[in-house]
Amino acid sequence: MQAGMLAWAWQGAAGPREVADCIATIIFDGIASTPSGYDDASAAIAAANEAKAQWEADAAERLAGRRGEILAAARDQFALRGFESTTMRDIADAAGLTASNLYRYFESKEAIILQGYIDRLGLVADSLEASDPAEPVGAAGRAALLGLADVLTADRSAVLEMMAIARNSDQLLAWGRARQYTVIARIAGWLAARRGLGPHDARPWLFAQNL
């Protein structure tokens, strides 16, 4: 009701329905939302979009920084106690966090070590899914693998450290394999869609597992 009354009282280029839509969207979806029909329609909306993009970039930077601090604390604890004996509370204490806050950043101690690696593997699926449908499958696969190789090479020391820890923990290896399966499933789904293959065709899975 308030949105409707404000819409009628608002004197401007937009009609009452558009103004009501804008107000309702802000009420229900938040100030960072852009109502339908208002994309780049005014300097105010453009400024709001710019501010939203900056907020998202700042949040991503803070998240990456905090994750790095947690990873450094986890490495120290794993070196001190061993992976199997280290708890999430040990890591939280070392990072200056409560245990509940730590779970906002990582779901488990396995994720602290291997989530970055799984994310890197996910870049292969991201590249394939974003590839031009007209591009040959082999060319798209090669480009995806070369992209992954570049990322792993740039992070070589971190990758080697993750692999060294994982080799000594059956628990960690099992966690990594389960998450890796989700990436393989995405790659297999991409190939099946590109080739028009049915769900029972094993070839996409063979391709994905060997890519």
Side-chain angles (χ1 to χ4, degrees):
M1 290 176 61
Q2 184 178 9
M5 301 210 30
L6 282 170
W8 284 108
W10 194 325
Q11 299 296 319
R17 187 177 185 83
E18 288 76 14
V19 175
D21 175 59
C22 177
I23 296 171
T25 298
I26 291 172
I27 292 172
F28 291 109
D29 297 331
I31 191 66
S33 299
T34 301
S36 59
Y38 270 72
D39 291 326
D40 301 323
S42 68
I45 292 299
N49 287 338
E50 183 178 351
K52 176 186 175 185
Q54 186 61 53
W55 295 339
E56 291 173 345
D58 291 346
E61 184 176 350
R62 288 194 299 271
L63 178 61
R66 175 54 86 180
R67 281 175 175 263
E69 294 170 2
I70 293 171
L71 180 56
R75 287 169 176 162
D76 291 344
Q77 292 301 303
F78 294 150
L80 178 66
R81 306 169 186 271
F83 178 81
E84 305 292 348
S85 299
T86 300
T87 66
M88 288 288 276
R89 182 171 294 279
D90 294 330
I91 298 169
D93 290 343
L97 296 170
T98 64
S100 59
N101 277 337
L102 178 58
Y103 281 105
R104 294 175 55 194
Y105 298 96
F106 293 98
E107 67 180 54
S108 65
K109 63 181 181 180
E110 290 82 7
I112 295 175
I113 294 299
L114 286 185
Q115 188 61 58
Y117 178 67
I118 297 300
D119 290 344
R120 292 176 177 88
L121 291 183
L123 295 175
V124 174
D126 292 343
S127 177
L128 293 174
E129 291 168 351
S131 64
D132 188 337
E135 185 178 13
V137 168
R142 183 174 185 275
L145 286 180
L146 289 176
L148 176 63
D150 289 342
V151 171
L152 294 180
T153 299
D155 298 337
R156 185 172 183 273
S157 60
V159 171
L160 290 176
E161 183 178 10
M162 286 187 290
M163 292 174 63
I165 295 174
R167 276 198 299 267
N168 295 319
S169 171
D170 292 339
Q171 177 184 350
L172 189 53
L173 284 173
W175 187 94
R177 290 193 188 102
R179 300 311 187 278
Q180 188 174 355
Y181 177 84
T182 63
V183 178
I184 291 174
R186 287 178 60 193
I187 296 172
W190 169 82
L191 181 60
R194 284 286 298 269
R195 290 292 176 83
L197 302 176
H200 301 296
D201 196 311
R203 287 174 293 177
W205 289 93
L206 292 174
F207 171 86
Q209 289 172 336
N210 290 282
L211 186 63

